[in-house]
Amino acid sequence: MSSTGLQSTPTPGTAPVSALLLPGRSSYNGPTMTTHPNAIQANATQGTATPTHVHLETFGCQMNEYDSELVRALMQQNGFVFTSEQERADVILMNTCAIRENAHNKVYTHLSELKKIKRQRPLVVGVLGCMAQNLKDELTEIQPLVDVLAGPDSYRQLPMLIRTALRAQEDGLEAKGLAVDLSEYETYHDVVPDRRDGVNAWIAIMRGCDNFCSFCVVPYTRGRERSRDAEGIILEAHQIAAQGFKQITLLGQNVNSYRFDDWDFARLIRAVADVPGIERVRFTSPHPKDFPLPLLEAVVSHPHICKQIHLPLQSGSDRILGLMNRGYTISEYRALVDRIRSLRSDIVLSTDIICGFAGERDEDFEATYRLIEEVRFHSAFIFKYSERKHTIAARKFPDDVSEAVKTARVTRLFDLQRTIAYARNREYLHATLPVLVEGDAKRSAAQGMGKSDGNITVIWDKQAVPSHPGALLSLAIYDASSTTLYATLPPAP
Ligand code: SAH
Ligand code: SF4
Ligand code: F3S
């Protein structure tokens, strides 16, 4: 598989290049990508080439992490060099998230820090990802700070947009590059991401979302759902294995709706899990409304597919699920959990919950509380509802639960979930589990860190357990908290 940059023929049907140069202090009509296809800037006095250094920060979900790997690949093919040091960078890019208000705020905080740097030295600032669409409307407010905006389907244009902005800056002009068209076809199928993790490799098997859950901005920021070709995915999985990665995580906003020719998701995940050298395959997220039995059978029976399912519930009230446009009822969700557990009782389930959605009454919240108590997820991401521009909920349902009530509900659920997670994790005491080593623990380099098959964090003392990233160890669990299992070598037989 080859990866191509801007010189490639665009994918059929991809939205046309829309490198709009918006008027700033003065307009810019400088040379375009076609005349100068490389970002290496000739240093006229010494005849050497000075690469342009780029710093990239990523916010948001795994899909954005993956997209940042694509961005690095596309930019590197065009001569840009990435640096982890912001101070060295000629270009600072932010790959942004728009899912909740606090994600927005993080971006604005970061932008105001960049404003200070930009006052002191030449700097090109680019905003990528899910907030680029929203920022388009606010461009007048963020001028002259942001030079380039590129949405999730426009990364092939990024090298050209950045180069144009750099040239404009050199000439003392102000040029804005804007590429925020959403595509019905772009899957970056021919771009090999610049992966740096070494153990886990993400593959986006699809992009966009057509579900239009009423609270969610993703269908507006990432556009229509489209699946990437199955053969390309499997070929890439072989290449990933050859590079020494041990785990692949397949990504999509609803992997259950993956379709490409006669491939569905159950067939695809089995094919990926069959790739020699890949020890573990994970996926996120399946939608509870259309969880197919063949997928469940694959999870249950394939030795390389992890026994772990993230099953976003959102609410335990049928009335609220209806308003959210989730497409399932509580009894259907419960039946799905029962079916999963009847086939394999050791499957680890996790979920997402939103507290304080528009119109959520005390009794709706109590129903959520009871369902969490009943299902006993191993882990749950619990969010306060945050109204998002453009969404169905923002247009139709007033955000009428007070901040204080949202906070109280989140806190109660959080406390409940912590108690459940603690009890769940203590069920592993004295068990011996396979653990895939990821690296050092966050808190101390004297401790190693990895994940159980069920995706629970496992920590050990490196002196007692020699390990290296990518190793699959068999470890005995001797202690457990609500978030972590503590392990050591099992006693000799
Ligand atoms: N496609 C995934 C969800 C991606 S967003 C899925 O459906 O499983 C991850 C989570 O963010 C969602 O499951 C939801 O719980 C939360 N979320 C999305 N929009 C939100 C909003 N407006 N306010 C609060 N939480 C939200
Ligand atoms: Fe958002 Fe729903 Fe799509 Fe998930 S399935 S990304 S929650 S619209
Ligand atoms: Fe992900 Fe945030 Fe976009 S959760 S899909 S980066 S809005």
Side-chain angles (χ1 to χ4, degrees):
M1 191 185 318
S2 70
S3 55
T4 49
L6 273 166
Q7 290 93 335
S8 68
T9 319
T11 313
T14 303
V17 169
S18 67
L20 299 186
L21 293 172
L22 299 180
R25 278 193 298 270
S26 41
S27 62
Y28 178 63
N29 292 311
T32 62
M33 166 67 200
T34 352
T35 50
H36 292 272
N38 209 309
I40 306 283
Q41 297 165 346
N43 179 327
T45 45
Q46 293 167 16
T48 55
T50 313
T52 302
H53 286 92
V54 184
H55 178 76
L56 171 62
E57 296 246 4
T58 307
F59 301 85
C61 64
Q62 296 101 324
M63 191 65 92
N64 254 20
E65 294 285 343
Y66 174 82
D67 279 1
S68 285
E69 296 176 349
L70 293 176
V71 165
R72 281 204 301 267
L74 286 163
M75 298 278 290
Q76 282 165 180
Q77 284 158 24
N78 282 273
F80 292 92
V81 172
F82 280 80
T83 172
S84 56
E85 298 160 55
Q86 186 169 287
E87 312 78 62
R88 284 196 66 198
D90 310 297
V91 177
I92 296 183
L93 301 177
M94 257 185 293
N95 195 359
T96 61
C97 173
I99 200 89
R100 284 171 289 275
E101 191 59 29
N102 53 3
H104 257 232
N105 292 342
K106 266 190 212 165
V107 173
Y108 281 113
T109 309
H110 201 64
L111 279 177
S112 62
E113 284 162 20
L114 295 184
K115 207 181 226 168
K116 287 179 211 145
I117 305 176
K118 206 169 169 172
R119 274 197 215 113
Q120 289 152 11
R121 64 179 179 88
L123 180 68
V124 163
V125 172
V127 175
L128 321 181
C130 292
M131 242 181 90
Q133 211 79 26
N134 304 31
L135 274 177
K136 189 182 66 169
D137 306 334
E138 297 161 27
L139 202 63
T140 45
E141 284 168 41
I142 55 173
Q143 283 199 73
L145 176 63
V146 177
D147 303 287
V148 170
L149 279 183
D153 290 340
S154 305
Y155 297 147
R156 290 180 198 269
Q157 299 167 48
L158 198 55
M160 179 268 287
L161 293 171
I162 299 284
R163 197 173 3 268
T164 307
L166 281 163
R167 290 220 185 87
Q169 198 163 69
E170 266 172 30
D171 295 348
L173 301 169
E174 190 177 305
K176 300 285 164 193
L178 178 72
V180 288
D181 292 329
L182 293 169
S183 156
E184 285 176 39
Y185 303 94
E186 181 63 272
T187 59
Y188 299 104
H189 66 283
D190 55 346
V191 182
V192 179
D194 173 32
R195 299 187 165 94
R196 300 199 170 166
D197 176 291
V199 178
N200 174 70
W202 314 108
I203 304 182
I205 60 163
M206 55 209 298
R207 298 180 71 86
C209 184
D210 284 351
N211 282 310
F212 290 93
C213 301
S214 64
F215 52 80
C216 185
V217 78
V218 173
Y220 308 91
T221 61
R222 287 187 166 267
R224 298 290 53 78
E225 180 184 286
R226 66 219 94 123
S227 296
R228 186 184 152 186
D229 65 303
E231 273 153 29
I233 295 168
I234 295 160
L235 186 61
E236 191 168 329
H238 280 276
Q239 291 170 339
I240 286 167
Q243 288 165 356
F245 288 87
K246 296 295 173 209
Q247 176 174 292
I248 290 178
T249 305
L250 302 176
L251 299 176
Q253 298 300 348
N254 175 12
V255 293
N256 294 346
S257 55
Y258 177 87
R259 291 283 174 282
F260 196 90
D261 295 339
D262 50 355
W263 289 81
D264 63 9
F265 185 61
R267 186 175 167 207
L268 179 72
I269 194 170
R270 276 186 186 275
V272 171
D274 283 341
V275 170
I278 296 300
E279 304 279 357
R280 288 183 170 179
V281 178
R282 301 189 190 277
F283 58 101
T284 195
S285 299
H287 199 297
K289 77 178 155 76
D290 53 6
F291 202 106
L293 194 55
L295 173 61
L296 190 49
E297 283 161 354
V299 176
V300 164
S301 64
H302 199 295
H304 295 303
I305 302 180
C306 291
K307 310 303 163 223
Q308 173 234 332
I309 301 175
H310 185 65
L311 207 55
L313 167 64
Q314 313 302 358
S315 169
S317 151
D318 277 336
R319 193 178 69 83
I320 296 295
L321 287 177
L323 292 174
M324 287 178 164
N325 191 28
R326 286 291 288 178
Y328 52 86
T329 61
I330 290 309
S331 65
E332 285 162 347
Y333 187 94
R334 206 183 256 128
L336 176 57
V337 169
D338 289 347
R339 189 182 312 141
I340 292 171
R341 289 185 170 155
S342 70
L343 289 175
R344 243 190 114 128
S345 59
D346 63 345
I347 286 188
V348 168
L349 292 181
S350 56
T351 199
D352 292 341
I353 303 286
I354 296 178
C355 288
F357 182 65
E360 185 185 78
R361 302 178 193 136
D362 281 342
E363 59 263 34
D364 299 308
F365 172 72
E366 293 306 329
T368 304
Y369 192 94
R370 282 196 304 275
L371 199 69
I372 300 268
E373 257 178 335
E374 176 195 321
V375 176
R376 299 182 73 244
F377 295 99
H378 277 80
S379 65
F381 296 93
I382 300 163
F383 307 108
K384 271 188 222 174
Y385 172 56
S386 167
E387 190 180 79
R388 306 283 69 207
K389 242 196 238 171
H390 307 301
T391 58
I392 299 162
R395 282 180 270 135
K396 285 170 74 176
F397 315 130
D399 180 10
D400 57 0
V401 178
S402 72
E403 190 59 23
V405 170
K406 284 180 187 172
T407 305
R409 289 178 185 169
V410 164
T411 308
R412 267 190 71 201
L413 269 197
F414 194 77
D415 289 346
L416 170 65
Q417 181 55 37
R418 194 172 35 215
T419 311
I420 294 169
Y422 180 75
R424 280 279 188 202
N425 284 353
R426 308 245 358 137
E427 290 167 12
Y428 293 107
L429 285 181
H430 314 301
T432 297
L433 301 179
V435 176
L436 183 62
V437 181
E438 292 190 356
D440 289 344
K442 274 197 200 118
R443 281 203 207 140
S444 159
Q447 290 178 319
M449 190 277 286
K451 290 283 164 72
S452 73
D453 186 280
N455 211 24
I456 302 171
T457 300
V458 184
I459 280 178
W460 57 89
D461 177 359
K462 274 173 26 186
Q463 269 190 333
V465 183
S467 61
H468 63 271
L472 198 56
L473 305 178
S474 198
L475 295 180
I477 308 301
Y478 67 86
D479 200 1
S481 70
S482 60
T483 55
T484 311
L485 304 177
Y486 297 89
T488 190
L489 290 178

